Amino acid sequence: MPEPMGFFTDTTVCIGCKACEVACKEWNQLPSTNGGANTLSGQSYDNTRQLDGMHWRHVKFVEQFGADREGGRWLMMSDVCKHCAHAGCLEVCPTGAIIRTEFDTVVIQSNVCNGCRDCIAACPFGVIGINPVSGTAQKCTLCYDRMQVGLTPACAKACPTESIKFGPIKDLRQKAKARVAQLHGQGRTRAELYGEDETMLGGLNSFYLLEDRPEVYGLPANPKMPSRNLAPGSLFSGLGA
């Protein structure tokens, strides 16, 4: 049985080049943004806006300028599906289209998906969307087809600064902890890991090093499984009946 595999994204060395976005689209033959038009969103240099069925990688740009930040700074992060150990999308899928692979990653099988959108609502990270070409829910597969033949996922292969690191989760965790210790030693004490341990949805197989609160990067501070809301919801439904 292969080891659990995944991504460790060190946002401190991301340069916002979008090479990961391009490589992902090329390898997975995803539709181009807005029919190929280079339209900015109004949110810094972001032209892809979000993760969805057509965008499996999304580079976020966070500009922090103002009186409280002398000189200002940029925060950049290449975002992707988290491939959660406890995956809400997999839990709610009615057709069995969403599976956990031998690498402990989460994949949507388009030929089984009926487009019901249950998984979209269940994902606390908002990474899933309907691909208008296929009419099915789609997201990052962690390049499952490449992994099956021993290749690195396209985004990690293309990243020029090695901000996106791919490998066995246990090795990535060691590298991540060493990197945090290095940054703390340099006085960058706000550096911390997000989703690295089992306290968050059993652990994220795509976890991050951040230098500000998760919400600043558009990440939930405490993501929940959809099942945790079932009991209270059922109770209130019963009372209303």
Side-chain angles (χ1 to χ4, degrees):
M1 187 73 177
E3 294 183 87
M5 304 289 282
F7 292 127
F8 160 48
T9 301
D10 181 351
T11 67
T12 67
V13 293
C14 177
I15 58 175
C17 68
K18 294 176 177 281
C20 55
E21 287 190 8
V22 174
C24 177
K25 280 187 172 288
E26 287 183 344
W27 179 260
N28 294 292
Q29 299 181 2
L30 297 170
S32 60
T33 304
N34 300 327
N38 186 20
T39 305
L40 295 178
S41 65
Q43 299 174 358
S44 188
Y45 292 98
D46 184 358
N47 68 326
T48 48
R49 298 174 174 79
Q50 62 187 6
L51 291 169
D52 57 30
M54 293 194 303
H55 308 102
W56 299 359
R57 269 277 173 193
H58 173 224
V59 177
K60 297 181 178 180
F61 295 80
V62 181
E63 299 180 44
Q64 295 184 325
F65 299 99
D68 59 333
R69 293 192 178 279
E70 184 178 350
R73 70 172 178 174
W74 290 78
L75 299 176
M76 287 171 274
M77 182 184 94
S78 179
D79 199 13
V80 73
C81 172
K82 314 306 181 286
H83 294 273
C84 313
H86 299 157
C89 60
L90 191 154
E91 179 182 276
V92 304
C93 179
T95 65
I98 304 180
I99 61 169
R100 187 170 298 280
T101 74
E102 65 270 30
F103 302 106
D104 201 32
T105 57
V106 179
V107 170
I108 301 176
Q109 303 171 102
S110 286
N111 62 333
V112 186
C113 175
N114 67 0
C116 73
R117 301 172 183 257
D118 285 1
C119 58
I120 297 176
C123 176
F125 302 102
V127 307
I128 308 174
I130 297 294
N131 186 314
V133 175
S134 65
T136 59
Q138 292 191 2
K139 68 171 190 64
C140 163
T141 67
L142 226 152
C143 280
Y144 182 45
D145 53 345
R146 292 175 64 92
M147 291 172 65
Q148 287 178 304
V149 292
L151 296 177
T152 297
C155 57
K157 183 76 172 177
C159 181
T161 64
E162 297 185 2
S163 171
I164 303 169
K165 295 175 173 60
F166 166 75
I169 291 295
K170 66 177 184 179
D171 295 343
L172 295 178
R173 285 174 175 167
Q174 292 179 351
K175 292 179 180 179
K177 291 174 182 177
R179 176 61 174 160
V180 169
Q182 179 187 37
L183 290 171
H184 284 186
Q186 297 172 357
R188 297 167 70 172
T189 56
R190 299 196 68 178
E192 61 179 25
L193 298 178
Y194 177 88
E196 171 269 336
D197 61 27
E198 295 180 357
T199 60
M200 184 176 290
L201 299 177
L204 307 184
N205 286 335
S206 176
F207 63 94
Y208 301 81
L209 190 159
L210 309 177
E211 277 200 294
D212 210 322
R213 294 174 295 107
E215 297 91 335
V216 172
Y217 296 85
L219 297 170
N222 189 23
K224 301 289 187 182
M225 285 281 286
S227 57
R228 297 188 180 182
N229 296 323
L230 289 180
S234 300
L235 174 62
F236 289 125
S237 296
L239 291 175

